[in-house]
Amino acid sequence: MDLPKTFDSKAAEERWFQRWIDLGYFKADPAREGKVFSIVIPPPNVTGQLHLGHALNVSLQDIIVRTRRMQGYNTLWLPGTDHAGIATQNAVEKDLAREGKDRHLLGREPFVKRVWQWRETYGGRILNQLRRLGASCDWSRERFTLDPGLSRAVTKVFVDLYNKGMIYRAKRLINWCPRCETALSDLEVDHKDVKGHLWYIRYPFADGHGGVTIATTRPETMLGDTAVAVNPDDARLSSYVGKTIRLPLIGREIKIIADAAIDREFGTGALKVTPGHDPVDFELGSRHGLEQISVLDGKARMNENAGPYRGLAREEARKQIVKDLDSAGLLEKIEPHSHAVGVCSRCDTIVEPMLSEQWFLRMKEMAARAIEAVRRGDTTFHPKFWENTFFNWLENIHDWCISRQLWWGHRIPAYRCVRCDHLIVAAERPARCPECDGSDIIQDDDVLDTWFSSGLWPISTLGWPDDTPELRRYYPTSLLLTGFDIIFFWVARMMMFGLEFTGKVPFKDVYITPLVRDELGKKMTKSKGNVVDPLDLMEQYGADAVRFTLAQLAAQGRDVILSHDRFAASRAFANKIWNAARFVMMNLDGADQPLAIVEIAKLGLAERWILSRLDSTIREVTRAIDAYEFNLAAMRLYQFIWHEFCDWYIELSKEPLKSGGERQAAARWVLINVFDKMLRLLHPFMPFVSEEIWQVIRVYLDEPNLAAHLPIAKYPEASATNPLSAAEETAMNHCIVATQGLNSLRSLLGLHPGQAINGFVRPLPYRDVEFNYESDGTKQKLGIRFPEKPAVADSRLIAADVADFRTDFDRWKPYAVTMAKAETLTMLEPDQSKPPRTAGWVQGLIEILVKAPEDFDFQIATKALEKKLSELQAHYERDLKRVSDPEFQAKAPQEKREEIEQRVALTRGEIMSVQLQLSLLEGAESHGH
RNA sequence: GGGCGGUUAGCUCAGUGGUAGAGCAUCGGCCUUACAAGCCGAGGGUCGCAGGUUCGAAACCUGCACCGCCCACCA
């Protein structure tokens, strides 16, 4: 089998994705038996472009979806898009503007038609980009929030909530964007700090004398003032309460009122009250029954209530009014003042608090039920701390303004009889007015906030309000995976709607993804020009590498900071796997298809060892995915594949592969089987490279009902019993550590890697077994000759030989280095019966030193050893002190005491070893120079 | 004003009570027929600061600093 030297990611991506879809692997069948795993995609804006947030989101969803599918779950991942009312409408308006038109010129019908056209053009784009990432959605179930079925759900919800009295119409002070010319919800308003001014303006009493000075950041709204308020406890001003003021410039007479909410410290302590243009004043005005006067129109120009200023834009009016007040001698001073202004989150225009009649949804009760459901644990957030954020918002929730003065969206199912003005809320347009029987009935012009329909996404996409098989089978969904920026907009609303209309939470788990930032840790925005395009990344590194990198970076509770190095490393990883595959295939020439299964008992130590490492990897990866710890799963895979399988097992397999016979058969079988399981584990992370390789090796697999492709192959499970005994594990770890120790020694001594070193290491628990080591540099690890069967351990233990090495390899490793060296040393002690070959080891070392090259730097080597020695001594002393501390002996748990006592012995051995090495260096220096 | 998250090697991040870790980057040595997108080594950290709890703290508690984010009607 000929495989090219480097992995061609693009070819693999093109080869497999369409194939998987054509074969229907991603299709969900509600009729199928089995446990269910279901998830609905956070629908991207229909006209959106893929950004890294999507890429992260989709990669993580795909990892878990593919895993569950392979684990045999009845899996549904439902894709789709959101009509994204205001965002899309703005985009099309911008497009129109380029042609010198605007939507009003076009008219409502043609404009909406144009948006649909736009959707036809760009609507498929983002989903195609998700497919490029490998998203294994059931693409046959694609939904759009304006689909007829989903619209029907929206209408029903509106009508039901209206009939329950939860949706109502009211004239309130709402957020108004003068550019978009629509109402906005509180969430759609961003707050920005601006450096403004505080204008101090004297409002004279009605008799023309004296007056009260107020401080304001918005002088132009004074035209709508209907009172001046002071704190009743304010000694300076309370005597004025009840007096009348003549409002400058327009001459309206207003009263001075008292209200405890007034901050005496701010400004002059007197507040101009503008109920028509300020939320605080609106509240205050309602308490005192003040008139509400609006002085601005929908485009934020002064209206007919603004007298001489009518027609001016609000900024113009402000300048003019300040100027006029100054001429009138009423402007007392101007102070610089920073404060926050609300801006439209879509277009950044300063939002105007405006009096307006809108539709509202009462939230308190629904919010309370959502809180209760999360408290009960029906839904759990990951990471958990997001629950606080969720509670916090819901506990302080205000009614939701759901109507928008837009054209793109779900038109509100409310109708009005032209003749008698009767309001009818109904799913269908009524033919006649039930009050006056009039037939002239018009529908409300407004559409719903786009989040109203996305809030229904988990139920509407499954067919609600009908009782569909999908709804019954897949609802509640298993998981929602989304960004924190839409917890309020979307997650909370889905919770509330789901509970309200099905009595059940819409998802059991919510995984909140972190924010993706650029390499400098900055948020990516178009205006900063630091947006990294995932399509470029895929082009450069391949979809697998992009997915794997995002998974690695997605630690819970942290922002994802991009790093090109990481993408490059993942691409190298894909290539590494590819080359491992080439090695395996090269060595399977002429092998049976499928390979005959080899019993575990007939495998060598290295074979059993890699199988054992594989089991540990399977367990850890599975556990991490279950816990949504994608980064840990990815890291473990990387560690196993590269450092355990490639670095060790492949190297160790070379000799048996050449040997022919049973050992060759065993090595072949292990190579294929480990590779197979490894690819299955890897597949959810790197679907393309894994499939590309698996297709080549699958002919060797002997599995009943073997899947044709990886997406539906069975997910690996760890063996019930460890293929490696504790003793064998110890032996193998000794080999690894001995090899590393001697490689390090050679490097330290400045020897050429090709320089042969002969030596042996005897693992202490196996005193009658030795591992001969002959490294000639060209096959560094190959020289280890493993005993066919490790002999039973000798029970005699020397001082350094007390550690129980049945612990995790990584923790164990440093001790083993010590072991290898300590062995050497103990042999020098007089009371030991001295095994002859230990002296040989030392002898070998001396010979090497004698043969050291002319330019060998003894000073550097000595320095390094001395440093190491002092570190060891520090550790030794610390541990020794600890061990001899009576309190430690009294209070520390026994296992800890033992552990540290063992460490003391080991460190002591290692110290002696380093001392020996140092003395050898000294000797060699005087000898050789 | 309230709340949340973060601070560990040059960079990006693991590490929830027992000798500080990985990847990348750096340095040294290797073209060794799976892989130079590679292999073998090495250097590099008073774990943000100050207290406390503990036999023992990067980890647990308190306070502080700095970075980032969210919420909020001081005109």
Side-chain angles (χ1 to χ4, degrees):
Chain A
M1 175 60 63
D2 255 7
L3 297 176
K5 232 178 162 179
T6 51
F7 170 58
D8 183 351
S9 54
K10 202 168 289 171
E13 288 161 29
E14 281 164 12
R15 184 156 30 243
W16 298 114
F17 194 73
Q18 197 52 48
R19 196 75 182 283
W20 294 329
I21 287 177
D22 293 344
L23 290 166
Y25 292 156
F26 306 152
K27 281 202 175 163
D29 174 9
R32 230 196 75 206
E33 296 292 305
K35 281 195 285 184
V36 165
F37 185 82
S38 59
I39 182 166
V40 291
I41 205 167
N45 179 345
V46 66
T47 61
Q49 262 272 42
L50 187 74
H51 61 243
L52 271 159
H54 298 123
L56 172 69
N57 188 270
V58 163
S59 298
L60 299 184
Q61 283 179 85
D62 199 39
I63 287 167
I64 192 146
V65 165
R66 282 181 188 267
T67 303
R68 295 290 179 252
R69 187 181 294 116
M70 291 173 75
Q71 285 172 334
Y73 284 74
N74 182 334
T75 303
L76 167 67
W77 184 11
L78 194 144
T81 48
D82 194 306
H83 69 281
I86 191 166
T88 307
Q89 172 158 333
N90 280 354
V92 175
E93 282 191 272
K94 246 183 216 163
D95 200 47
L96 277 178
R98 271 193 288 274
E99 299 167 18
K101 300 187 205 156
D102 74 55
R103 70 176 159 119
H104 299 285
L105 222 76
L106 223 61
R108 183 163 185 157
E109 290 275 323
F111 178 78
V112 170
K113 214 167 149 192
R114 168 111 186 200
V115 184
W116 276 103
Q117 277 168 10
W118 173 276
R119 186 245 171 183
E120 292 311 315
T121 314
Y122 297 105
R125 183 178 59 183
I126 188 148
L127 294 180
N128 281 329
Q129 291 167 337
L130 298 184
R131 285 188 193 97
R132 273 209 59 193
L133 267 169
S136 66
C137 302
D138 182 348
W139 292 102
S140 69
R141 292 178 185 273
E142 187 185 323
R143 296 287 185 274
F144 178 50
T145 46
L146 282 175
D147 282 347
L150 278 70
S151 299
R152 193 159 66 92
V154 168
T155 305
K156 178 169 168 55
V157 164
F158 187 96
V159 173
D160 283 3
L161 289 173
Y162 177 80
N163 290 336
K164 287 184 198 173
M166 293 173 68
I167 283 181
Y168 61 92
R169 197 162 162 77
K171 190 171 185 182
R172 292 266 178 88
L173 204 60
I174 47 87
N175 305 295
W176 182 266
C177 174
R179 200 220 59 87
C180 304
E181 290 189 73
T182 179
L184 301 172
S185 68
D186 295 342
L187 284 176
E188 290 165 299
V189 178
D190 292 338
H191 295 275
K192 240 188 190 170
D193 274 332
V194 293
K195 284 194 174 96
H197 300 277
L198 205 52
W199 284 273
Y200 287 76
I201 302 163
R202 184 163 62 85
Y203 281 9
F205 292 128
D207 59 15
H209 297 292
V212 172
T213 301
I214 55 91
T216 180
T217 56
R218 299 203 57 194
E220 71 278 14
T221 64
M222 66 170 284
L223 304 178
D225 287 0
T226 50
V228 166
V230 300
N231 192 300
D233 298 331
D234 191 332
R236 301 167 300 173
L237 298 165
S238 54
S239 60
Y240 296 146
V241 173
K243 290 194 90 161
T244 304
I245 270 169
R246 186 181 304 279
L247 202 54
L249 306 180
I250 53 169
R252 182 164 58 241
E253 293 199 345
I254 58 176
K255 291 272 189 216
I256 296 178
I257 59 172
D259 195 288
I262 306 304
D263 180 356
R264 276 178 282 179
E265 306 302 316
F266 191 90
T268 61
L271 170 73
K272 73 191 252 316
V273 184
T274 323
H277 288 287
D278 185 285
V280 182
D281 297 6
F282 181 84
E283 286 298 317
L284 211 150
S286 318
R287 280 202 292 276
H288 294 270
L290 297 177
E291 195 189 348
Q292 300 158 348
I293 300 175
S294 206
V295 296
L296 293 167
D297 67 13
K299 292 193 158 86
R301 287 179 309 221
M302 306 311 287
N303 68 10
E304 65 280 4
N305 294 327
Y309 303 97
R310 179 175 185 177
L312 290 181
R314 53 189 166 172
E315 299 80 8
E316 300 294 317
R318 174 180 300 180
K319 277 185 212 157
Q320 192 57 48
I321 284 171
V322 168
K323 205 169 143 197
D324 292 348
L325 286 169
D326 196 21
S327 319
L330 296 170
L331 183 64
E332 296 203 334
K333 62 174 170 174
I334 306 175
E335 277 178 356
H337 180 70
S338 345
H339 59 119
V341 297
V343 299
C344 173
S345 60
R346 283 292 152 196
C347 71
D348 234 26
T349 305
I350 294 180
V351 160
E352 198 60 53
M354 288 270 257
L355 269 180
S356 176
E357 197 173 338
Q358 300 284 344
W359 291 95
F360 293 89
L361 173 53
R362 220 168 65 206
M363 303 301 286
K364 279 258 180 295
E365 297 82 356
M366 285 168 92
R369 283 196 288 272
I371 291 170
E372 183 51 33
V374 174
R375 287 244 156 86
R376 253 200 323 267
D378 293 356
T379 296
T380 308
F381 281 71
H382 307 266
K384 191 109 178 146
F385 61 74
W386 286 113
E387 287 179 7
N388 288 330
T389 310
F390 180 79
F391 293 146
N392 230 309
W393 185 70
L394 285 174
E395 279 159 6
N396 300 303
I397 200 163
H398 298 299
D399 284 359
W400 176 14
C401 174
I402 52 175
S403 43
R404 297 288 175 277
Q405 288 62 54
L406 303 169
W407 290 348
W408 177 241
H410 296 96
R411 194 138 168 204
I412 291 177
Y415 304 86
R416 208 169 275 283
C417 171
V418 173
R419 195 196 301 170
C420 73
D421 205 34
H422 180 65
L423 177 72
I424 308 136
V425 171
E428 303 286 337
R429 165 190 291 270
R432 298 197 162 272
C433 172
E435 285 294 309
C436 71
D437 204 39
S439 61
D440 196 0
I441 289 173
I442 51 167
Q443 186 171 4
D444 194 311
D445 277 335
D446 293 352
V447 301
L448 287 164
D449 182 356
T450 199
W451 296 101
F452 192 92
S453 56
S454 25
L456 298 171
W457 187 249
I459 60 175
S460 62
T461 53
L462 293 175
W464 189 90
D466 295 334
D467 182 19
T468 61
E470 282 79 5
L471 195 64
R472 271 191 302 235
R473 192 85 168 109
Y474 298 118
Y475 188 88
T477 62
S478 314
L479 171 68
L480 178 79
L481 199 152
T482 192
F484 67 84
D485 50 333
I486 52 178
I487 289 180
F488 307 144
F489 279 112
W490 194 46
V491 182
R493 269 107 181 228
M494 285 190 288
M495 283 292 285
M496 292 188 279
F497 281 150
L499 285 164
E500 182 72 25
F501 288 94
T502 69
K504 287 187 247 172
V505 293
F507 22 72
K508 291 177 204 123
D509 283 318
V510 178
Y511 177 90
I512 299 294
T513 56
L515 191 70
V516 181
R517 298 172 175 279
D518 72 359
E519 300 204 45
L520 301 171
K522 296 268 188 281
K523 195 169 170 173
M524 292 199 237
T525 60
K526 277 183 195 153
S527 57
K528 279 192 209 128
N530 61 347
V531 176
V532 177
D533 185 348
L535 296 169
D536 290 346
L537 291 174
M538 283 193 263
E539 194 67 31
Q540 202 177 344
Y541 302 106
D544 282 334
V546 171
R547 292 168 58 114
F548 192 78
T549 307
L550 291 173
Q552 268 186 311
L553 294 175
Q556 287 195 13
R558 259 196 201 251
D559 290 345
V560 170
I561 298 189
L562 283 190
S563 150
H564 271 274
D565 287 343
R566 293 301 280 255
F567 288 106
S570 297
R571 182 185 52 190
F573 181 47
N575 198 51
K576 183 77 180 175
I577 300 163
W578 180 253
N579 277 291
R582 292 180 62 223
F583 172 83
V584 171
M585 294 314 293
M586 260 174 215
N587 283 287
L588 255 73
D589 232 16
D592 294 341
Q593 300 180 354
L595 282 173
I597 293 174
V598 181
E599 284 172 62
I600 298 283
K602 290 196 173 163
L603 300 176
L605 177 61
E607 276 72 34
R608 285 204 289 272
W609 175 79
I610 194 68
L611 288 174
S612 166
R613 299 313 299 156
L614 175 67
D615 278 346
S616 129
T617 306
I618 292 171
R619 272 190 285 268
E620 175 59 14
V621 169
T622 309
R623 185 209 63 76
I625 288 178
D626 288 346
Y628 307 115
E629 293 170 349
F630 300 100
N631 60 323
L632 299 183
M635 284 169 174
R636 183 70 186 104
L637 270 171
Y638 184 95
Q639 168 72 18
F640 174 74
I641 294 175
W642 200 310
H643 297 302
E644 293 173 354
F645 184 70
C646 293
D647 282 358
W648 283 95
Y649 185 67
I650 284 193
E651 293 304 321
L652 293 172
S653 73
K654 285 177 178 174
E655 202 220 321
L657 284 172
K658 277 183 205 141
S659 73
E662 275 191 23
R663 292 183 63 219
Q664 182 192 41
R668 280 177 165 179
W669 183 81
V670 167
L671 275 177
I672 284 294
N673 277 275
V674 173
F675 218 130
D676 167 48
K677 297 239 171 67
M678 187 172 105
L679 290 173
R680 295 186 197 214
L681 279 182
L682 182 70
H683 182 255
F685 293 82
M686 302 181 112
F688 299 109
V689 69
S690 55
E691 179 77 298
E692 184 88 353
I693 297 170
W694 197 73
Q695 285 304 319
V696 180
I697 69 158
R698 82 178 272 288
V699 293
Y700 295 103
L701 298 174
D702 190 3
E703 182 182 318
N705 306 317
L706 181 63
H709 296 91
L710 268 185
I712 53 161
K714 204 170 155 291
Y715 199 76
E717 281 172 26
S719 338
T721 54
N722 195 338
L724 196 69
S725 73
E728 287 168 334
E729 186 176 355
T730 304
M732 180 64 196
N733 287 343
H734 270 287
C735 293
I736 291 173
V737 165
T739 306
Q740 289 176 337
L742 293 174
N743 278 347
S744 169
L745 188 62
R746 184 193 3 244
S747 193
L748 177 71
L749 299 176
L751 299 176
H752 189 277
Q755 169 82 51
I757 301 180
N758 294 305
F760 79 94
V761 174
R762 182 197 309 236
L764 292 171
Y766 303 96
R767 302 190 63 98
D768 47 356
V769 174
E770 65 193 35
F771 297 92
N772 292 296
Y773 185 93
E774 54 174 55
S775 165
D776 65 0
T778 56
K779 34 180 185 173
Q780 284 126 347
K781 293 165 189 168
L782 309 185
I784 301 177
R785 285 197 289 275
F786 296 93
E788 288 297 317
K789 277 185 196 160
V792 180
D794 189 319
S795 57
R796 287 174 304 148
L797 299 177
I798 59 168
D801 185 21
V802 285
D804 177 357
F805 292 132
R806 278 171 298 178
T807 47
D808 185 50
F809 174 59
D810 290 329
R811 284 176 57 91
W812 180 86
K813 211 158 66 170
Y815 305 143
V817 176
T818 307
M819 296 290 292
K821 291 171 184 165
E823 165 84 346
T824 311
L825 207 43
T826 33
M827 299 314 163
L828 301 177
E829 294 189 11
D831 58 321
Q832 287 285 329
S833 59
K834 74 173 199 308
R837 295 214 231 157
T838 301
W841 197 92
V842 175
Q843 191 60 43
L845 188 59
I846 291 169
E847 280 174 21
I848 291 160
L849 285 167
V850 170
K851 281 190 279 181
E854 285 302 309
D855 58 349
F856 177 73
D857 194 330
F858 283 91
Q859 275 192 337
I860 289 176
T862 305
K863 234 177 171 174
L865 281 173
E866 277 169 349
K867 187 177 173 193
K868 171 117 190 167
L869 184 63
S870 70
E871 277 173 10
L872 283 170
Q873 280 169 336
H875 285 159
Y876 180 70
E877 274 162 35
R878 186 169 56 191
D879 278 345
L880 202 62
K881 205 166 140 192
R882 196 183 284 174
V883 166
S884 49
D885 179 2
E887 276 197 282
F888 173 77
Q889 285 174 7
K891 292 179 183 166
Q894 187 183 341
E895 53 187 79
K896 289 296 173 193
R897 286 202 316 269
E898 283 174 9
E899 182 187 322
I900 291 169
E901 277 161 19
Q902 288 164 14
R903 206 161 64 205
V904 169
L906 287 166
T907 312
R908 180 171 150 271
E910 193 166 359
I911 286 171
M912 291 191 289
S913 167
V914 173
Q915 282 169 339
L916 171 71
Q917 287 179 40
L918 270 170
S919 70
L920 290 173
L921 275 178
E922 241 173 71
E925 188 171 22
S926 53
H927 196 89
H929 289 255

